[in-house]
Amino acid sequence: MRPRIRSARDAVLSMRPPLVAKTEAILDRRRLYMLPTRQGMLFAMVLFVMLLAGINYENGLVYGLTFLLSGMAVVSMLYTHRNLLGLHITAGPCAPVFAGERAVFQVCLDNPGSGARLEEAVEHAGARAATVDIDADGQRLVGIEVPTRQRGWLAMPEVGVSTQFPVGLFYSWSRRVRIDHHCLVYPRPAGRQPLRTRGDAERKRDAGLRPEGDDFIGVRDYQPGDSPRHVDWKAVARGQPLQTKRFGGDRRESVWLDWEELDGLDTETRLSVLCRWVLDAETGGMLYGLRLPDNTIAPGGGPDHRHKCLEALALFEARP
């Protein structure tokens, strides 16, 4: 992007606040701007020189070529503006991350059936995030990486789109769009910490899908990733759909991860240590519960339980 264009564009945008949308924004004519590029200014100077030459020498061929090229420039201006007109910008999913990692916001660009091929750059915070090509009636998902520094909810940054397609004589860009979308940021995990409990750890029977269990406790629908050894092949031979056998009968350790076990530490350090304990307990196959001053989560296990505990730590004493 040329510095001259950037300064002019920033001057225009500074006079208009960003467009705020709940889930989706549609770019109409009032939200689009356009300026000639450096190549466009040079092209205009060449046309002016050609026009002077045609007038001076009274040459009809020079006149014709000048007007032909001028008409092509005007048409390219219309197509450049049309590339962004009616574009739908929608926020996609954003997976939770730990503080210090980079959150990736997904932005869906939907190009309605305008009949024009769109080549555009997606920008945020003054930097170009990605350059994508979208055909008519096409969609593209663009990831915008944002650094995280603290736990809690991270707002999606303002984004904008720009294009110089098809010939690069004009530069069209959109007003900044602020979509009401957030990413959950977990606390930064502390280093390896010995697990401390209040002595109320116990071993509970787990009736879940445990490969080391001996007791058959039923079947469930097959899910991608299940071991072929646990598939009920006899049922498949009878023409039934794929099902996975469930085994239990083993025991797993159940522990409480308690806020009060970390006396003498500040709030953020406690949350970091508890975050580490949650990760270690999940990796170790334990049944674990979480006790906070304002919340208690019963012992459990699995990805959903892990997310529930980490979410409670991320939003601890968070102000709405």
Side-chain angles (χ1 to χ4, degrees):
M1 187 181 301
R2 305 303 180 186
R4 175 176 49 79
I5 296 178
R6 176 181 291 274
S7 60
R9 183 195 67 175
D10 294 341
V12 173
L13 293 181
S14 63
M15 297 184 294
R16 300 293 300 274
L19 172 64
V20 179
K22 286 294 183 181
T23 58
E24 181 186 44
I26 302 177
L27 302 182
D28 56 22
R29 289 181 173 85
R30 299 180 60 184
R31 296 164 182 168
L32 297 177
Y33 309 94
M34 180 180 295
L35 283 174
T37 62
R38 179 173 296 180
Q39 293 83 356
M41 297 294 293
L42 181 61
F43 186 76
M45 293 177 60
V46 172
L47 290 180
F48 182 71
V49 172
M50 291 176 60
L51 179 61
L52 292 180
I55 295 174
N56 185 54
Y57 294 103
E58 298 181 355
N59 192 316
L61 291 178
V62 176
Y63 275 122
L65 180 60
T66 302
F67 294 141
L68 175 63
L69 294 178
S70 300
M72 293 175 57
V74 173
V75 172
S76 71
M77 177 175 61
L78 297 177
Y79 272 92
T80 302
H81 181 268
R82 185 184 179 189
N83 282 333
L84 300 183
L85 184 62
L87 186 70
H88 292 229
I89 303 177
T90 310
C94 183
V97 296
F98 294 95
E101 298 179 345
R102 301 182 71 86
V104 181
F105 288 93
Q106 300 294 334
V107 178
C108 180
L109 303 178
D110 183 6
N111 186 26
S114 61
R117 175 174 173 269
L118 185 148
E119 180 183 81
E120 64 182 11
V122 182
E123 303 176 356
H124 76 98
R128 178 168 296 190
T131 301
V132 296
D133 296 338
I134 310 176
D135 294 329
D137 291 324
Q139 291 184 343
R140 278 297 181 90
L141 204 62
V142 179
I144 297 180
E145 295 187 357
V146 181
T148 61
R149 297 180 178 84
Q150 60 184 10
R151 62 182 176 87
W153 290 112
L154 176 65
M156 180 177 175
E158 300 173 4
V159 298
V161 292
S162 62
T163 183
Q164 296 184 18
F165 187 80
V167 294
L169 297 180
F170 295 92
Y171 176 79
S172 180
W173 73 94
S174 73
R175 183 177 168 187
R176 294 289 182 183
V177 176
R178 181 187 299 161
I179 298 179
D180 187 14
H181 188 58
H182 297 77
C183 176
L184 182 62
V185 181
Y186 299 143
R188 186 193 304 268
R192 293 294 177 180
Q193 298 284 336
L195 186 61
R196 300 202 303 265
T197 64
R198 287 187 175 274
D200 52 356
E202 56 180 345
R203 301 188 70 83
K204 292 186 177 180
R205 189 177 184 84
D206 178 24
L209 180 61
R210 303 282 292 174
E212 63 272 21
D214 298 325
D215 299 336
F216 175 73
I217 61 175
V219 296
R220 62 168 174 79
D221 293 337
Y222 174 81
Q223 297 179 358
D226 289 347
S227 173
R229 296 181 303 169
H230 296 152
V231 175
D232 190 354
W233 295 111
K234 292 183 179 179
V236 175
R238 294 193 296 268
Q240 299 180 6
L242 284 176
Q243 292 182 322
T244 301
K245 298 179 181 179
R246 301 175 69 231
F247 296 89
D250 62 325
R251 293 182 180 273
R252 284 200 287 173
E253 186 177 3
S254 176
V255 298
W256 281 99
L257 311 179
D258 201 323
W259 173 275
E260 299 299 333
E261 287 294 320
L262 300 172
D263 290 336
L265 300 179
D266 61 85
T267 299
E268 295 303 323
T269 303
R270 287 189 183 192
L271 294 174
S272 295
V273 174
L274 289 172
C275 179
R276 168 54 59 189
W277 286 354
V278 168
L279 299 178
D280 291 345
E282 180 67 29
T283 303
M286 301 179 182
L287 294 173
Y288 54 95
L290 180 63
R291 285 175 178 159
L292 298 174
D294 60 352
N295 192 9
T296 299
I297 300 177
D304 292 339
H305 183 73
R306 170 182 176 271
H307 170 72
K308 186 177 180 180
C309 293
L310 293 177
E311 182 181 24
L313 295 175
L315 303 180
F316 179 71
E317 294 183 344
R319 294 179 176 82

